[in-house]
């Protein structure tokens, strides 16, 4: 038997990140405690940017499958990982000061983040159920730990517990579904599964459908859409804001890629079955997310429900089962993660030592205290509400367009109605910032360091610029499918 | 200077517009003096240009023409142009409008002196002149309508010029709303023209008339109406609003709340005659509809008599003149109904001069009386204001149709034409206009005697300050007194009895209705006509009216009160103006108000705001509170929901 080395060039970013994790780990261990935090931070950011450059450098428009089909290197994986890096870079930039001030162990924080990112990268590129499941666990486990990183806070521990247990249930469901597919198709390779299920052997169909439901349950849990959303508000609220910030960005992109892999790569033949399920999920997500967000007074919880609603909108693109819808869904997810990272990032920035900003009322009179931050928040909120000329408008426009092309006009109308309901609580935030007087203890102006101001400005203006010139990102998303 | 007719027409129309824009936008910066100079100069230029234009078209060899200047809008196959018609009708009107407007501009320098809205006033009246010229020079229905609405707007602005007075605001609203009712009919008429003729250009429409003369239109199931009749009556409804014909006349007396120069210019001489002008312009249409002509005749004649009667019981000097305007407009409209378009237009011209004269004279009196308009406080003013007295007398004689004053020739022609016409309602109309002659003389000279003769009834303070008005005020009076005397006998022959007349082909009369040519056969020169007039009934009725006025107010001042007691029912009917205002107030206004409050309180506030708008919000926040209950915080509930979800999806796919 001739040993043939698999092509490893597509794996360069993953190898690089893994190597750097070891470096960061060692640096954290052996550097002086005084500089360990700053050093690991810089190394982590270097890792992410290096991976970014590598992915960019080796960008390939062709699909390359390597390691016996374990690893798929295609535009979808590259675009998704790129945005995973970008959002993570922003996430860590926002988070640094927050974790410093709260004496969270910094090297551990960055290492966990990097491991999770590595898991996402592997997940996005997984071509085999085995690698898929393993990388899913790799990306999830650090998150559970990060939620509980502030061990002294009960809320964080409770949230981590809930996250872990429900996550384990979801993971088990996914594994169950995969095992059934393996049992009927005798293969773990996504492409083989796809070509086997396409024949739709009548005796097997029932099992395919059974497997489909469990697989969807597992993936939708990661996205956090109804009815697998229950963890979202508790975790978003209970976790340290910097962790919430992380959870709300990169993992969503990875989960969407997972959905693409499972539904469009492995089970495209069952789209008549998964389309109605996704319709049900997206309607209930939009409805529940937007309705319950209205009554929230906790800003993080409100944004958690908003994220549930946004997952519903993303699924609108996927459920059309067509390239236009897929690219619209991807575009929606990318723009959502930019907005979510910006919004939570802003909360992270405003929280100072001992003072958490997590209530809607905490933003009262922000315009008087820091007009620039208020303006950035205004852009982000308008973008989430889907008002032109922000990127959120084009994101909604894209999925609605896809729905109309797929003759699902009723669904588009429904989505619009929920968007109008949702606009209420986004605009309420703006109203609170601009038209209400600050509380007496918050009268002093809010100071933000220059580099933070720079990052939030990029983020806030980004949603505006991407809204004014959306074609580049739209074209990028189109080129994927 | 050698300007073509086209260039002249541009000057005529643009000079007032520029004057208006300058005084309107730069008035505060320019100050009062520069403002009125600009406005008066603009009008002067327009008047001279209009004179040249009229001379060239009406008396000279320049042929009438109609041309488009630019396309205003394209809609489907319809093309809407802005363009001019230059023929004798439009140019005569242009001269008349610019002449009166010019004099009113000069007069206003004196009358409006010291008013805080001085520049605004000049801007408005220049704008009015522009809109009126746009109307009369138009070559299509749309531009006619634009001008029509433009003059309506300025009229509204000027009636409410002293917007701090409640009565002025009420008057301006009333004028605007009543005119809207007329405009509604007018617009429907234009829409019908567009629908059936496919164009709004006069020439093209008139050329199509023979084709559509017998066309019918079904307004209600089972009834066929002649298309032309429907169009004509709808257009006439517009004219009824603008020219204040019964029952849409109620706004004109209220419009006297505006400054007196405005009453002279807009509400006596020009704007209110737009309806008369429009029907003259549409004569080819009206000639094809005897029904419409009959309606026009009856409505006009009714107004001529009955609004005149109200004038007898009014004490406000401006209101007397206002009711006389209503009555005279009734004469003109009745003349149109008798197809005597030239006679009506002739009366329009003479009336414009002597009515402007009377209004401006009344204004002069009001200035002298320190803005007291009640004739019961006047008397004996001839000693203090000799020029005003003389000119007012000339105006009154012209209005009462005493030869050889201008009003005699034009009004007599109308009465005679109505006597000759054969269309239905002619007899009734003839009686009305004959009695109207007596009424006209009565109320005119009643006012004349009450103001200038009889004993002085004003208080000491006013008497001390009584003096003749300044020259900018009495000069226009003199300028208007001249045409009030000579216009009649100078122009009666070319206007009415020459073939072709001054109006030439601008108006068209079918032979069947051509009463003027019948009258022309009996016309043997101006002297004979005047002499014949002295023997006719209208003249003696007028003289009798003057005698009654003299007797009742000069000779035996207790007579009116006695008569009022004796015939208290009639007196009260007249004082209540036949109850039109009360009817409008109680029936129309109240029911509309009730309907609006019903819509506001029940439909809008209760149903839409409460149930639809707030109800949606309430329902959503209710749902919101309801659904959040599901988030209990218990881990086993979370797991349960997940499993439930999987079960539901499984059942869905398996079954």
């Amino acid at each position: 038997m001739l040993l043939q080395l698999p092509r490893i060039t597509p794996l360069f970013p993953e190898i690089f990140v893994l190597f750097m994790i070891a470096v960061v780990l060692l640096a954290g261990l052996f550097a002086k405690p005084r500089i360990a935090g700053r050093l690991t931070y810089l190394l982590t950011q270097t890792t992410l940017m290096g991976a970014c450059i590598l992915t960019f450098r080796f960008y390939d428009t062709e699909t390359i499958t390597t390691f016996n089909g374990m690893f798929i290197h295609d535009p979808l994986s590259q675009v998704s990982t790129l945005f995973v890096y970008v959002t993570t870079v922003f996430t860590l930039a926002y988070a640094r000061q927050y974790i410093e001030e709260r004496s969270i162990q910094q090297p551990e924080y960055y290492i966990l983040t990097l491991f999770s990112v590595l898991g996402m990268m592997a997940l996005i590129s997984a071509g085999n159920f085995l690698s898929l499941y393993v990388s899913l666990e790799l990306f999830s486990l650090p998150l559970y730990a990060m939620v509980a990183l502030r061990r002294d806070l009960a809320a964080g521990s409770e949230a981590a517990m809930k996250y872990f247990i429900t996550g384990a249930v979801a993971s088990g469901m996914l594994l169950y579904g995969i095992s059934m597919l393996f049992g009927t198709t005798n293969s773990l390779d996504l492409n083989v599964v796809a070509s086997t299920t396409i024949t739709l052997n009548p005796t097997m169909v029932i099992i395919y459908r059974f497997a489909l439901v469990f697989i969807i349950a597992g993936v939708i849990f990661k996205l956090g859409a109804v009815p697998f959303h229950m963890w979202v508000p508790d975790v978003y609220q209970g976790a340290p804001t910097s962790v919430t910030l992380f959870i709300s960005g990169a993992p969503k992109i990875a989960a969407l890629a997972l959905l693409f892999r499972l539904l469009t790569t492995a089970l495209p033949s069952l789209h008549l079955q998964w389309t109605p399920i996704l319709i049900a999920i997206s309607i209930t997500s939009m409805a529940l997310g937007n309705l319950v967000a209205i009554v929230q007074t906790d800003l993080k919880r409100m944004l958690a429900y908003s994220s549930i609603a946004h997952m519903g909108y993303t699924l609108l693109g996927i459920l059309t089962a067509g390239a236009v819808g897929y690219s619209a869904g991807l575009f929606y997810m990318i723009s959502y993660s930019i907005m979510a990272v910006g919004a939570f990032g802003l909360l992270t920035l405003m929280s100072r030592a001992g003072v958490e900003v997590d209530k809607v009322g905490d933003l009262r009179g922000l315009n008087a205290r820091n007009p620039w931050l208020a303006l950035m928040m205004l852009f982000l909120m308008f973008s989430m509400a889907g008002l032109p000329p922000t990127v959120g408008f084009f994101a909604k426009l894209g999925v609605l367009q896809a729905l109309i092309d797929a003759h699902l006009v009723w669904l588009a109308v429904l989505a619009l109605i929920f968007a109008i309901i949702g606009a209420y609580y986004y605009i309420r935030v703006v109203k609170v910032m601009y038209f209400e007087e600050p509380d007496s203890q918050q009268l002093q102006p809010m100071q933000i360091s220059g580099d933070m101001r720079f990052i939030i400005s990029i983020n806030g203006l980004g949603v505006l610029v991407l809204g004014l010139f959306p074609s580049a990102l739209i074209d990028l998303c189109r080129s994927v499918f | 200077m050698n300007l073509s007719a086209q260039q002249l027409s541009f000057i005529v129309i643009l000079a007032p517009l520029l004057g208006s824009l300058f005084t309107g936008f730069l008035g505060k910066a320019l100050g009062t003096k520069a403002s009125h100079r600009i406005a008066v100069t603009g009008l002067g230029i327009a008047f001279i240009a209009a004179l040249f234009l009229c001379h060239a078209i009406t008396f000279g060899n320049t042929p009438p023409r109609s041309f488009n200047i630019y396309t205003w809008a394209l809609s489907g196959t319809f093309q809407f142009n802005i363009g001019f018609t230059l023929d004798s009708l439009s140019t005569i009107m242009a001269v008349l409008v610019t002449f009166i407007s010019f004099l009113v501009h000069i007069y206003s320098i004196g009358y409006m002196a010291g008013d805080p809205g001085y520049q605004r006033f000049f801007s408005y009246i220049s704008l009015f002149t522009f809109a009126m010229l746009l109307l009369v020079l138009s070559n299509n229905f749309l531009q006619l309508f634009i001008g029509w609405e433009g003059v309506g707007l300025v009229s509204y602005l000027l009636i409410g010029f002293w917007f701090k007075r409640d009565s002025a605001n009420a008057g301006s609203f009333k004028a605007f709303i009543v005119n809207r009712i007329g405009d509604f009919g007018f617009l429907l008429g234009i829409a019908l023209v567009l629908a059936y003729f496919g164009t709004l250009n006069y020439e093209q429409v008139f050329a199509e008339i023979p084709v559509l003369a017998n066309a019918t239109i079904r307004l209600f199931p089972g009834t066929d109406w002649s298309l032309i009749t429907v169009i004509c009556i709808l257009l006439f409804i517009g004219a009824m609003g603008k020219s204040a014909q019964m029952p849409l006349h109620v706004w004109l007396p209220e419009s006297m709340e505006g400054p007196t120069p405005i009453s002279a210019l807009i509400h006596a001489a020009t704007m209110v005659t737009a309806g008369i002008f429009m029907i003259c312009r549409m004569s080819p249409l009206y000639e094809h509809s005897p029904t419409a002509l009959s309606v026009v005749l009856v409505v006009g004649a009714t107004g001529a008599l009955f609004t005149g009667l109200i004038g007898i019981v009014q004490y406000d000097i401006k209101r007397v003149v206002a009711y006389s305007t209503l009555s005279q407009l009734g004469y003109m409209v009745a003349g149109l109904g008798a197809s005597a378009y030239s006679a009506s237009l002739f009366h329009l011209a003479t009336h414009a001069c002597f009515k402007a004269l009377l209004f401006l004279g009344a204004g002069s009196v009001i200035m002298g009386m320190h803005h007291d308009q009640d004739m019961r406080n006047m008397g004996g003013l001839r000693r203090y204001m000799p020029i005003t007295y003389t000119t007012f007398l000339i105006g009154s004689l012209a209005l009462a149709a005493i030869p050889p004053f201008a009003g005699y020739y034009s009004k007599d022609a109308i009465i005679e034409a109505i006597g000759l016409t054969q269309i239905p309602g002619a007899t009734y109309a003839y009686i009305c206009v004959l009695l109207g002659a007596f009424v006209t003389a009565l109320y005119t000279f009643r006012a004349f005697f009450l103001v200038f003769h009889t004993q002085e009834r004003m208080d000491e303070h006013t008497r001390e300050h009584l003096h003749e008005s300044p020259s900018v005020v009495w000069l226009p009076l003199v300028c208007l007194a001249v045409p009030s005397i000579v216009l009649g006998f100078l122009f009666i022959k070319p206007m009415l009895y020459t073939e072709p007349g001054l109006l030439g082909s601008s108006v068209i009369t079918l032979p069947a209705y051509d009463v003027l040519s019948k009258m022309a056969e009996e016309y043997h020169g101006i002297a004979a006509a005047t002499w014949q007039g002295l023997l006719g009934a209208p003249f003696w009725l007028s003289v009798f009216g003057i005698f009654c006025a003299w007797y009742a107010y000069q000779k035996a001042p207790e007579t009116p009160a006695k008569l009022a007691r004796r015939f208290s029912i009639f007196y009260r009917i007249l004082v209540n103006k036949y109850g039109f205002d009360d009817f409008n107030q109680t029936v129309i206004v109240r029911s509309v108000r009730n309907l609006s409050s019903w819509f506001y309180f029940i439909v809008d506030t209760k149903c839409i705001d409460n149930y639809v708008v707030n109800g949606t919000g309430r329902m959503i926040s209710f749902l919101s509170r309801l659904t959040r209950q599901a988030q209990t915080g218990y881990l086993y509930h979370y797991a349960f929901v997940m499993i439930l979800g999987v079960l539901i999806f499984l059942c869905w796919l398996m079954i």
Side-chain angles (χ1 to χ4, degrees):
Chain A
M1 192 177 151
L2 190 72
L3 183 72
Q4 201 181 3
L5 262 182
R7 282 183 69 178
I8 59 165
T9 41
L11 269 84
F12 275 166
E14 279 79 1
I15 294 168
F16 174 70
V17 171
L18 185 59
F19 172 75
M20 286 304 286
I21 288 174
V23 173
V24 175
L25 202 56
L26 290 174
L29 263 181
F30 294 108
K32 289 188 184 118
R34 196 167 48 80
I35 59 158
R38 188 55 66 94
L39 182 67
T40 45
Y41 170 73
L42 288 176
L43 281 171
T44 308
Q45 291 290 44
T46 318
T47 310
L48 290 167
M49 287 176 191
C52 204
I53 291 167
L54 278 173
T55 307
F56 205 71
R57 176 74 184 72
F58 293 100
Y59 189 85
D60 234 319
T61 49
E62 286 166 41
T63 302
I64 299 167
T65 317
T66 180
F67 284 98
N68 296 322
M70 287 279 187
F71 192 90
I72 301 175
H73 182 75
D74 63 357
L76 173 64
S77 71
Q78 295 169 77
V79 169
S80 302
T81 43
L82 262 179
F83 281 97
V84 166
Y85 307 141
V86 171
T87 49
T88 311
V89 166
F90 274 94
T91 301
L92 292 178
Y94 290 129
R96 184 182 56 78
Q97 202 174 356
Y98 184 90
I99 53 181
E100 266 175 21
E101 284 172 350
R102 281 161 186 75
S103 57
I104 294 171
Q105 303 86 335
Q106 295 181 57
E108 283 86 337
Y109 188 94
Y110 299 127
I111 289 161
L112 286 173
T113 306
L114 280 182
F115 267 119
S116 188
V117 168
L118 184 65
M120 291 175 209
M121 292 162 71
L123 176 67
I124 287 166
S125 302
N128 186 297
F129 280 126
L130 209 56
S131 59
L132 185 143
Y133 184 73
V134 170
S135 50
L136 181 67
E137 291 301 311
L138 177 61
F139 124 58
S140 305
L141 284 172
L143 289 180
Y144 303 144
M146 285 169 82
V147 172
L149 214 48
R150 292 190 74 182
R151 281 166 297 198
D152 48 336
L153 287 186
S157 308
E158 183 195 329
M161 203 56 167
K162 284 178 179 167
Y163 192 18
F164 178 66
I165 292 175
T166 50
V169 172
S171 181
M173 285 176 177
L174 179 67
L175 201 56
Y176 188 48
I178 289 173
S179 70
M180 262 186 282
L181 278 184
F182 179 59
T184 46
T185 61
N186 287 320
S187 173
L188 286 171
D189 192 288
L190 298 185
N191 287 318
V192 178
V193 169
S195 53
T196 317
T197 51
I198 207 154
T199 56
L200 287 179
N201 183 341
T203 55
M204 296 298 182
V205 162
I206 199 93
I207 300 177
Y208 294 156
R209 293 180 178 180
F210 210 81
L212 177 71
V213 170
F214 282 96
I215 284 174
I216 286 179
V219 184
I220 295 297
F221 175 84
K222 289 291 163 207
L223 280 174
V226 179
F228 311 103
H229 67 286
M230 302 293 269
W231 60 276
V232 177
D234 289 2
V235 170
Y236 273 45
Q237 189 186 12
T241 310
S242 65
V243 176
T244 311
L245 160 65
F246 182 52
I247 294 177
S248 68
K252 304 280 185 196
I253 300 177
L256 184 72
L258 174 64
L259 191 69
F260 279 126
R261 291 279 180 242
L262 288 172
L263 294 188
T264 69
T265 311
L267 298 169
S269 51
L270 289 174
H271 78 86
L272 286 181
Q273 277 71 45
W274 53 256
T275 294
I277 291 185
L278 289 189
I279 288 179
I281 291 174
S282 79
I283 291 176
T284 47
S285 298
M286 290 187 296
L288 184 128
N290 281 325
L291 279 179
V292 183
I294 287 177
V295 284
Q296 302 302 325
T297 52
D298 188 297
L299 198 52
K300 280 160 80 181
R301 220 173 157 79
M302 187 199 96
L303 287 174
Y305 281 107
S306 129
S307 94
I308 295 173
H310 281 292
M311 292 310 119
Y313 284 101
T314 310
L315 291 178
L316 289 179
I318 319 298
L319 60 82
T320 57
V324 178
Y326 296 155
S327 60
L330 182 63
F331 181 76
Y332 197 99
M333 185 56 97
I334 289 172
S335 24
Y336 169 69
S337 59
I338 295 172
M339 301 183 280
V341 165
F344 281 111
L346 209 100
L347 297 188
T348 318
L349 290 187
M350 290 195 295
S351 303
R352 280 152 298 148
V355 182
E356 296 287 336
V357 172
D358 50 13
K359 296 277 182 288
V360 176
D362 293 340
L363 291 180
R364 205 167 280 149
L366 181 62
N367 182 45
R369 302 166 63 208
N370 192 329
W372 184 249
L373 276 191
L375 185 69
M376 293 303 116
M377 193 62 168
L378 174 118
F379 287 152
L380 291 165
M381 287 295 128
F382 277 3
S383 184
M384 285 208 182
L387 299 181
T390 55
V391 69
F393 168 73
F394 286 98
K396 283 210 170 58
L397 188 71
V399 292
L400 295 180
Q401 185 71 51
L403 282 182
I404 288 166
D405 289 347
H407 307 291
L408 289 167
V409 178
W410 64 274
L411 194 52
V413 170
L414 211 57
L416 263 184
I417 290 172
F418 287 124
I420 293 166
I421 295 174
Y424 167 78
Y425 56 87
Y426 297 122
I427 291 172
R428 187 182 58 176
V429 171
V430 175
K431 180 212 155 209
V432 164
M433 289 192 304
Y434 280 88
F435 300 108
E436 287 187 13
E437 294 298 319
D439 293 343
S440 52
Q441 66 264 43
Q442 297 176 338
L443 274 176
Q444 68 275 32
M446 179 170 283
Q447 295 300 333
I448 299 289
S449 61
D451 52 339
M452 292 297 128
R453 179 190 285 268
F454 176 69
I455 289 168
I456 188 68
S457 304
I458 290 182
N459 204 329
L461 293 176
V463 298
L464 187 67
V465 171
L466 282 175
L468 291 172
F469 308 102
S471 51
L473 188 55
I474 290 177
D475 289 343
L476 184 68
C477 292
R478 290 227 175 106
S479 71
V480 168
F481 297 97
Chain B
M1 247 190 338
N2 233 340
L3 290 169
S4 72
Q6 202 161 334
Q7 286 163 322
L8 278 170
S9 63
F10 286 148
I11 295 174
V12 169
I13 205 158
L14 290 180
L17 179 64
L18 288 176
S20 166
L21 293 178
F22 268 105
T23 47
F25 289 107
L26 302 174
K28 284 279 175 272
L30 289 170
T32 51
K33 239 180 199 159
S35 292
H36 72 232
R37 277 185 194 148
I38 288 175
V40 169
T41 314
L43 250 296
I45 292 171
F47 172 53
I48 293 166
L51 271 182
F52 275 107
L53 195 61
C54 184
H55 178 79
I57 303 272
T58 312
F59 300 98
N61 300 322
T62 317
R65 63 179 75 179
S66 162
F67 55 92
N68 289 329
I69 299 166
Y70 64 94
T71 302
W72 181 59
L74 272 173
S75 173
T77 55
F78 299 130
Q79 194 176 14
F80 301 113
N81 292 307
I82 296 294
F84 290 156
T85 298
L86 299 179
D87 61 4
S88 27
L89 176 62
S90 63
T91 52
I92 288 173
M93 281 299 287
V95 169
L96 197 67
V97 170
T98 48
F99 173 59
I100 310 273
S101 182
F102 179 55
L103 293 179
V104 167
H105 270 74
I106 294 174
Y107 178 90
S108 303
I109 297 172
Y111 192 87
M112 299 302 293
D115 194 283
Y118 192 78
Q119 291 94 327
R120 186 162 58 96
F121 181 85
F122 277 95
S123 177
Y124 284 169
I125 50 175
S126 287
L127 183 66
F128 165 78
T129 316
F130 164 74
M132 189 74 198
L133 288 168
L134 200 65
L135 188 161
V136 298
L137 292 177
S138 167
N139 75 343
N140 62 72
F141 284 84
L142 188 72
Q143 189 184 334
L144 174 76
F145 187 70
I146 295 172
W148 190 272
E149 292 298 300
V151 293
L153 168 73
V154 184
S155 159
Y156 160 80
L157 291 172
L158 282 167
I159 296 170
F161 182 76
W162 287 312
F163 50 81
K164 285 180 182 153
R165 281 192 203 163
D166 284 342
S167 57
N169 286 329
S172 62
F173 286 158
K174 195 168 185 176
F176 204 76
I177 292 166
V178 173
N179 267 299
R180 296 311 307 166
I181 297 167
D183 292 344
F184 187 61
F186 193 54
L187 202 54
L188 283 178
I190 293 176
L192 265 187
V193 170
L194 186 64
Y196 281 85
F197 291 85
T199 173
L200 287 179
N201 186 286
Y202 294 153
E203 284 182 327
Q204 291 165 5
V205 169
F206 296 156
E208 282 286 304
I209 289 174
V211 183
L212 289 163
N214 296 317
T216 56
I217 176 173
R218 184 160 289 184
L219 293 182
F220 306 103
T223 51
D224 284 331
W225 298 61
S226 154
L227 172 69
I228 304 278
T229 302
V230 174
I231 291 176
C232 287
I233 289 180
L234 285 173
L235 292 176
F236 181 59
I237 290 173
M240 281 163 75
K242 192 91 2 193
S243 293
Q245 292 302 300
M246 272 185 168
L248 297 183
H249 68 282
V250 288
W251 66 271
L252 191 64
E254 308 277 325
S255 77
M256 294 303 132
E257 293 296 336
T260 305
I262 291 320
S263 311
L265 174 64
I266 299 186
H267 304 119
T270 52
M271 183 189 84
V272 288
T273 59
I276 319 293
F277 163 79
M278 188 272 291
I279 295 174
C280 281
R281 185 49 95 203
M282 302 303 151
S283 58
L285 274 173
Y286 279 85
E287 284 299 296
H288 281 88
S289 173
T291 320
L293 283 177
S294 203
V295 170
V296 171
L297 177 67
V298 169
V299 169
T302 310
L305 175 62
F306 289 94
T307 54
L309 283 171
I310 302 176
I312 301 175
V313 298
Q314 294 295 317
Y315 283 103
D316 183 323
I317 181 169
K318 277 180 77 181
R319 295 217 171 207
V320 175
V321 191
Y323 279 103
S324 110
T325 307
L326 286 175
S327 165
Q328 297 307 305
L329 287 169
Y331 275 99
M332 294 177 218
V333 169
L336 298 173
S339 294
Y341 302 103
S342 302
S344 283
L345 202 77
F346 189 35
H347 193 53
L348 188 162
T350 56
H351 172 258
C353 292
F354 63 69
K355 189 50 63 69
L357 171 61
L358 285 175
F359 259 120
L360 295 183
S364 175
V365 168
I366 293 167
M367 280 173 78
M369 292 295 297
H370 294 278
H371 290 271
D372 185 354
Q373 308 188 355
D374 195 329
M375 295 192 294
R376 281 169 292 197
N377 299 335
M378 300 178 186
L381 289 185
R382 70 177 188 283
R383 276 193 293 281
Y384 305 96
M385 312 178 94
I387 304 175
T388 307
Y389 169 73
T390 318
T391 49
F392 201 92
L393 176 62
I394 292 169
S396 301
L397 287 171
L399 175 57
I402 301 299
F405 295 93
Y408 162 72
Y409 297 98
S410 53
K411 195 163 148 188
D412 202 51
I414 289 178
I415 296 174
E416 204 178 328
I418 294 170
L420 283 174
T421 188
Q422 303 292 329
I423 65 169
T427 319
Y428 163 78
Y430 188 60
I431 295 169
C432 280
V433 293
L434 265 187
L435 289 177
F438 163 73
V439 174
T440 308
L442 179 57
Y443 64 69
T444 312
F445 278 87
R446 167 178 174 269
F448 175 75
F449 287 126
L450 275 176
V451 173
F452 291 101
H453 291 268
T454 63
Q455 71 212 35
E456 297 168 16
R457 296 178 296 271
M458 68 290 281
D459 56 39
E460 246 349 279
H461 175 75
T462 315
R463 191 205 314 270
E464 278 168 23
H465 292 87
L466 260 180
H467 56 81
E468 184 56 88
S469 300
S471 60
V472 283
V473 171
W474 63 252
L475 205 66
L477 296 182
V478 176
C479 289
L480 284 166
V482 174
S484 298
I485 301 170
V486 302
L487 206 56
F489 55 76
L490 279 187
F491 282 97
I492 182 164
K493 183 159 167 51
M495 194 76 184
L496 300 181
Y497 301 132
T498 320
E499 200 58 47
L502 260 191
L503 290 183
S505 56
S506 308
V507 293
I508 287 166
T509 319
L510 290 190
Y513 309 120
D514 195 354
V515 286
L516 283 179
S517 60
K518 275 184 219 162
M519 284 152 64
E521 286 164 18
E522 300 179 4
Y523 179 79
H524 307 293
I526 183 73
T530 312
W531 178 246
Q532 219 167 15
L534 291 179
L535 303 173
F539 171 72
W540 288 108
L541 281 169
S542 298
V543 171
F544 181 58
I546 296 173
F547 170 76
C548 288
W550 172 79
Y551 180 81
Y553 291 93
Q554 178 80 6
K555 184 87 167 77
E558 68 286 353
T559 331
K562 257 195 241 164
L563 283 174
R565 268 199 304 281
R566 187 79 187 275
F567 302 102
S568 65
I569 284 190
F570 297 107
Y571 181 71
R572 238 175 304 130
I573 288 175
L574 288 183
V575 169
N576 289 329
K577 303 155 197 161
Y578 308 113
F580 276 108
D581 282 332
D582 295 331
F583 174 82
N584 290 343
Q585 198 63 35
T586 49
V587 178
I588 298 176
V589 175
R590 193 175 296 169
S591 52
V592 168
R593 281 190 78 98
N594 287 345
L595 193 67
S596 329
S597 12
W598 184 78
F599 270 111
Y600 176 67
F601 288 110
I602 308 294
V603 177
D604 193 56
T605 312
K606 213 164 208 170
C607 295
I608 295 178
D609 275 2
N610 190 32
Y611 292 118
V612 181
V613 180
N614 293 336
T616 316
R618 273 200 302 273
M619 191 187 72
I620 285 173
S621 78
F622 170 74
L623 283 177
S624 175
R625 275 192 296 274
L626 196 70
T627 36
R628 81 185 294 193
Q629 305 295 327
Q631 194 79 20
T632 54
Y634 294 119
L635 188 52
Y636 51 88
H637 285 169
Y638 293 11
F640 173 71
V641 169
M642 288 174 74
I643 290 161
L644 197 68
V646 169
L647 275 179
I648 290 171
F649 290 144
L650 273 179
C651 295
W652 189 2
L653 285 199
M654 294 304 152
I655 296 166

